[in-house]
Amino acid sequence: TVEALVQACPAVDPALVEQHLARLDERYFESFEPAQIARHLEALSRLTPERPVEALIDFPREGEAECTVLAFDYPGEFSLIAGVLAAMGLEIEAGDVFTYERPAEPETRPTPGLRPRPSGETDALRRRRIIDRFAGKLAAAEPVEAWAEELRRRLHDAVSMLEDGD
């Protein structure tokens, strides 16, 4: 519920929590535990035009990696992310892809008793977001912490170009 997630991640705007619950299908909520969903919300809340992607990286067993990429949605982004992961030595064995549904059209008249949000805030909440999870074998010989940092840097560079329209 919105209330449970707001309690689990109090630093996240409750409006983002509502959008998250309303714009993802049931398969997403069946695929992740509540703690993972809260972690996703915290990462999604940090997205800005200057920081359009977050990567949550775990190493469940030696030689394996799980990477969840959270970002604003762009055409061609999935292929770009998969390419960066492959170039970084992740042999992708499984994955899940989730994209926010398009937002409902805003009402043309204000709701009585509610103050309208500033337009920039509304626009940011209306942006589509992705949660793409990849799992596989890691061929990298470097320490996993260094691999994770390099992956985050490369994802940032690639997705920033999409944000900039390049």
Side-chain angles (χ1 to χ4, degrees):
T1 65
V2 172
E3 295 80 22
L5 284 170
V6 167
Q7 283 185 341
C9 40
V12 175
D13 182 348
L16 177 59
V17 174
E18 289 175 19
Q19 289 288 314
H20 194 73
L21 290 172
R23 295 175 64 189
L24 287 166
D25 64 21
E26 200 57 40
R27 189 175 65 84
Y28 169 81
F29 298 100
E30 293 168 355
S31 299
F32 296 102
E33 297 295 321
Q36 292 172 301
I37 294 170
R39 191 175 173 207
H40 295 169
L41 278 163
E42 289 168 350
L44 289 167
S45 74
R46 293 189 295 267
L47 297 181
T48 65
E50 297 77 29
R51 187 178 181 166
V53 63
E54 286 278 331
L56 304 176
I57 304 167
D58 297 301
F59 302 97
R61 288 171 286 291
E62 188 172 333
E64 294 182 8
E66 291 180 1
C67 179
T68 303
V69 178
L70 305 104
F72 294 124
D73 185 36
Y74 309 92
E77 184 175 26
F78 177 81
S79 298
L80 189 63
I81 292 168
V84 169
L85 289 168
M88 289 288 300
L90 182 66
E91 182 182 319
I92 299 169
E93 297 178 330
D96 291 298
V97 177
F98 305 95
T99 304
Y100 275 30
E101 293 177 4
R102 296 204 182 281
E105 289 302 315
E107 291 185 30
T108 54
R109 56 192 174 111
T111 305
L114 293 180
R115 290 184 308 152
R117 292 180 173 274
S119 65
E121 190 174 342
T122 301
D123 292 344
L125 286 172
R126 293 179 56 77
R127 287 190 75 175
R128 293 180 75 190
R129 291 165 168 79
I130 63 160
I131 300 107
D132 293 353
R133 176 174 57 179
F134 301 87
K137 289 190 169 68
L138 188 57
E142 63 189 301
V144 292
E145 296 82 12
W147 182 87
E149 283 309 307
E150 179 64 14
L151 175 62
R152 286 186 181 99
R153 186 191 66 73
R154 289 186 187 190
L155 287 170
H156 178 269
D157 290 350
V159 176
S160 289
M161 285 190 283
L162 294 173
E163 177 69 23
D164 294 340
D166 293 343

